């Protein structure tokens, strides 16, 4: 999907001074933005003439710094309480010129990355008109959208294109149009945080449809998973998926590196579709390695060891009728082994009739709220249930399997809800429970809640007698393109799909 670019590296109203001026801030900054609040010290930087003495003021703060050989200057501001507005001025001693950032707030800043489901705009989501009109009430949320104007084989110091300069949240800033701005998942995530804590929120929408995790991973992250820096031509397009573009690290270089000196508190991520069907070496095992490596590398390069990172587990999607999407979802879950990483699953929000294709469901509100819940629990340390039931172990009992769940994900207890394959979707795309026997055959099964466990039994139309020769070896739940989600905790979070080996 293409996004209209409304700015390039020239002269954006308050973002830059005109080209003839001798001093300006980097184009990742702009009037109406949010800078990271205490305890971090926000950093601002820009460009003047080489060795120029630059004086920066913000409120009662005033300090000077010398620009380097290339004319770049950088200065850390004092740790600042949430609020504002502030005017930040950078003044050149050599030229006497000034650059200004006006109406700046201090609060919490998040980067929202990934591919088209993160790019998917509020204008395209369910209840769009109501949601866009409500944006006028949120003037303390500030938004920016990076343009799709640049890929680069080498790291860039500034953004190559900007679709939306830093803006005060409003109908115009949030509802600009389909695939333009603003990101629905990013908006609903940030809005819920603001409603909860009432501190300014800065949201950077930084995404590109159809892109694999390799594009967003730097060379150091790629090296951890034995991924060489070659053109990603091995990608196999899955029906309904997006076509990947570019080379490994091309978007890391162009769309992440320019932000690395900026202080922020976390990131959210919706990506994975472009890595489905990339071949055996790029399935569950590869994504499990590369996605986790990317998160760790981002934290290292942003110099934020405890950077919050939330991601979306892929929604139902008419892909190939195989287990490829399910395997990718499992690969995503590996990131949960890292600290302060939260997963918002979308497996119960399929949208077969979406005008944007089933890969682009319109129910973005619940996804944003679930991401916000992970941040509230992991970042802000609020005590709340934020995850659906996750399998801890399972054991066979004759023809049945007893599934136990991680107690921390049970919430107030388990409950069952009905689910059915959408009309018109072939049955092989949908799945609830399955049992595999030692003769390698898969059998449809049914689950029954018994206390805090689920007992899985063969369906009535299947005859399978447990014996020394034939026994149950694997239990699966929702392990398909289109999971049939029937198990939830009472807080409304669906059980996470799984494939669990009983033996070996």
């Amino acid at each position: 999907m293409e996004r209209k670019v409304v700015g390039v590296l020239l002269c954006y109203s308050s973002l830059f001074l005109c080209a003839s001026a001798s001093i300006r801030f980097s184009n990742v900054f702009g009037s109406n933005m949010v800078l990271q609040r205490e305890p971090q010290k926000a950093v601002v930087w820009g460009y003047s003439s080489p060795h120029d003495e630059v004086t920066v003021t913000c409120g009662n703060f005033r300090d000077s710094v010398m620009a380097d050989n290339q004319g770049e200057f950088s200065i850390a501001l004092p740790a600042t309480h949430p609020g504002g507005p502030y005017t930040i001025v950078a003044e050149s001693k050599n030229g006497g010129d000034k650059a200004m950032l006006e109406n700046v707030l201090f609060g919490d800043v998040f980067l929202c990355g990934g591919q088209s489901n993160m790019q998917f705009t509020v204008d395209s989501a369910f209840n769009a008109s109501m949601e866009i009109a409500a944006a006028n009430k949120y003037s303390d949320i500030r938004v920016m959208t990076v343009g799709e104007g640049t890929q680069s084989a080498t790291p860039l110091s500034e953004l190559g294109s900007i679709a939306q300069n830093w803006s005060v949240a409003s109908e115009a800033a949030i509802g600009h149009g389909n695939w333009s701005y603003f990101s629905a998942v990013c908006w609903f995530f940030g809005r819920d945080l603001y409603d909860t804590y009432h501190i300014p929120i800065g949201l950077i929408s930084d995404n590109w449809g159809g892109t694999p995790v390799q594009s967003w991973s730097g060379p150091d992250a790629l090296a951890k998973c034995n991924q060489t820096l070659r053109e990603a031509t091995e990608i196999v397009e899955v029906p309904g998926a997006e076509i990947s573009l570019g080379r490994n690290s091309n978007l890391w270089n162009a769309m992440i590196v320019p932000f690395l000196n900026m202080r922020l508190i976390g990131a959210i991520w919706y990506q994975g579709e472009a890595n489905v069907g990339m071949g055996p070496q790029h399935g569950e095992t590869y994504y499990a390695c590369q996605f986790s490596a990317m998160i760790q590398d981002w934290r290292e390069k942003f110099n934020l060891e405890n950077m919050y990172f939330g991601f979306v587990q892929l929604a139902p999607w008419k892909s190939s009728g195989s287990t490829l999407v399910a395997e990718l979802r499992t690969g995503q879950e590996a990131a949960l082994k890292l600290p302060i990483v939260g997963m918002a699953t979308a497996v119960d929000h399929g949208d077969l009739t979406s005008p944007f294709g089933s890969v682009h469901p319109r129910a973005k509100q619940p996804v944003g709220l679930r991401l916000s819940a992970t941040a509230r629990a992991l970042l802000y340390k609020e005590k709340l249930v934020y995850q659906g039931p996750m399998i801890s172990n399972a054991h066979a009992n004759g023809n049945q399997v007893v599934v136990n769940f991680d107690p921390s994900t049970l919430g107030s207890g388990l409950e069952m809800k009905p689910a059915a394959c959408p009309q018109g979707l072939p049955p092989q795309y949908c799945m609830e429970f399955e049992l595999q026997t030692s003769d390698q055959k898969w059998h449809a099964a049914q689950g029954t809640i018994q206390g805090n466990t689920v007992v899985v039994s063969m369906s009535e139309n299947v005859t399978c007698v447990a014996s020394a020769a034939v026994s149950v070896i694997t239990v699966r739940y929702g392990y398909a393109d289109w999971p049939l989600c029937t198990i939830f905790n009472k807080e409304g979070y669906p059980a996470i799909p799984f494939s669990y080996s009983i033996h070996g």
Side-chain angles (χ1 to χ4, degrees):
M1 306 298 176
E2 293 188 358
R3 177 191 289 138
K4 183 180 179 182
V5 176
V6 297
V8 293
L9 292 183
L10 291 175
C11 177
Y12 307 100
S13 58
S14 61
L15 183 63
F16 290 128
L17 298 182
C18 293
S20 60
S22 63
I23 188 169
R24 62 177 176 85
F25 286 101
S26 166
N27 70 344
V28 301
F29 299 107
S31 293
N32 305 311
M33 74 178 302
V34 172
L35 289 173
Q36 183 58 42
R37 64 171 172 134
E38 61 181 3
Q40 295 192 52
K41 295 182 177 181
V43 176
V44 293
W45 67 93
Y47 305 92
S48 187
S49 57
H51 309 295
D52 186 15
E53 182 180 338
V54 177
T55 300
V56 175
T57 59
C58 176
N60 295 326
F61 171 81
R62 180 182 178 88
D63 200 1
S64 297
V65 65
M66 194 72 69
D68 64 16
N69 291 338
Q70 287 72 45
E72 182 171 354
F73 67 89
S74 176
I75 195 164
L77 303 176
T80 304
H81 293 298
Y86 292 86
T87 296
I88 301 173
V89 179
E91 185 173 2
S92 164
K93 183 176 181 180
N94 289 351
D97 296 312
K98 296 180 180 180
M100 298 178 64
L101 303 174
E102 300 178 289
N103 193 27
V104 174
L105 302 179
F106 282 81
D108 284 341
V109 182
F110 295 89
L111 188 149
C112 306
Q115 57 182 111
S116 61
N117 268 308
M118 184 62 82
Q119 180 184 349
F120 191 99
T121 46
V122 178
D123 196 64
S124 304
F126 286 132
N127 302 315
S129 297
M130 178 186 70
E131 300 288 14
I132 292 169
N136 290 324
K137 303 175 183 178
Y138 292 90
S139 60
D140 280 355
I141 302 180
R142 309 297 174 81
V143 297
M144 174 192 184
T145 303
V146 178
E148 290 183 344
T150 304
Q151 304 176 55
S152 180
T154 57
L156 300 182
S157 60
E158 293 197 288
L159 298 170
S161 61
I162 296 174
Q164 179 187 29
N165 296 327
W166 279 103
S167 304
V168 177
S170 66
E171 289 186 67
I174 301 303
H176 189 70
N178 292 350
W179 306 107
S180 181
Y181 51 78
F182 189 71
S183 162
V185 170
C186 189
W187 172 248
F188 295 131
F189 164 81
R191 189 181 70 181
D192 188 63
L193 290 181
Y194 181 82
D195 284 340
T196 304
Y197 302 115
H198 300 288
I199 60 172
I201 298 291
L203 301 172
I204 302 167
S205 178
D206 191 6
N207 38 72
W208 195 322
T211 52
V213 69
Q214 296 96 310
S215 290
W216 299 95
S217 301
D220 291 345
L222 291 171
K224 293 181 180 178
C225 301
N226 298 317
Q227 176 66 31
T228 58
L229 293 176
R230 64 182 184 274
E231 189 168 356
T233 55
E234 72 271 25
I235 293 175
V236 177
E237 184 184 4
V238 178
E242 300 154 311
I243 300 174
S244 177
L245 56 86
R247 298 175 180 270
N248 296 327
S249 299
N250 63 328
L251 301 182
W252 159 262
N253 289 329
M255 300 175 74
I256 301 298
V257 170
F259 288 102
L260 289 183
N261 290 329
M262 178 178 281
R263 297 294 179 259
L264 46 78
I265 198 169
I268 59 173
W269 179 258
Y270 197 159
Q271 187 277 334
E273 299 90 343
N275 282 93
V276 172
M278 290 182 63
Q281 73 273 32
H282 295 297
E284 172 186 337
T285 302
Y286 174 74
Y287 199 88
C289 178
Q290 192 58 67
F291 182 39
S292 294
M294 188 201 80
I295 295 172
Q296 292 172 303
D297 191 54
W298 280 29
R299 286 173 167 173
E300 179 182 336
K301 300 304 190 296
F302 274 103
N303 196 28
L304 288 171
E305 180 181 355
N306 295 319
M307 173 182 176
Y308 158 78
F309 198 101
F311 69 92
V312 181
Q313 188 179 45
L314 298 186
W317 164 26
K318 185 182 177 182
S319 176
S320 62
S322 67
T323 60
L324 291 175
V325 179
E327 291 166 7
L328 197 286
R329 292 190 188 105
T330 302
Q332 291 180 297
E333 290 177 34
L336 295 177
K337 297 176 182 178
L338 301 174
I340 321 180
V341 172
M343 181 178 76
T345 189
V347 294
D348 57 332
H349 285 290
D351 187 2
L352 188 62
T353 60
S354 170
F356 310 101
S358 65
V359 71
H360 298 126
R362 291 165 286 178
K364 297 298 194 250
Q365 291 92 334
V367 175
L369 292 177
R370 287 176 181 178
L371 279 171
S372 174
T374 71
R376 290 166 59 187
L378 299 173
L379 176 62
Y380 297 96
K381 308 302 182 183
E382 187 177 342
K383 292 185 177 181
L384 77 164
V385 177
Y386 64 92
Q387 183 67 74
M390 298 189 72
I391 187 172
S392 59
N393 59 71
H395 65 271
N397 182 13
N399 286 351
Q400 297 180 326
V401 171
V402 179
V403 177
N404 298 301
F405 296 95
D406 181 339
S408 68
T409 66
L410 287 171
S412 303
L414 299 175
E415 62 181 13
M416 183 168 283
K417 299 180 181 180
C421 199
Q423 186 175 1
L425 190 63
Q428 68 265 27
Y429 286 85
C430 304
M431 197 57 61
E432 186 190 4
F433 284 102
E434 299 171 277
L435 293 176
Q436 184 188 35
T437 48
S438 54
D439 56 4
Q440 305 304 310
K441 294 181 180 179
W442 285 99
H443 308 277
Q446 297 174 332
T448 304
I449 294 175
Q450 294 187 9
N452 287 331
T453 68
V454 171
V455 177
V456 184
S457 308
M458 296 285 185
S459 297
E460 294 180 2
N461 61 343
V462 175
T463 301
C464 176
V465 178
S467 66
V470 179
S471 59
V472 177
I473 61 172
T474 308
V475 58
R476 293 199 308 208
Y477 169 74
Y479 210 72
D481 290 355
W482 206 280
L484 296 182
C485 299
T486 57
I487 306 297
F488 291 74
N489 58 28
K490 292 181 180 179
E491 282 71 19
Y493 293 100
I496 306 303
F498 59 82
S499 179
Y500 188 88
S501 296
I502 306 297
H503 303 293

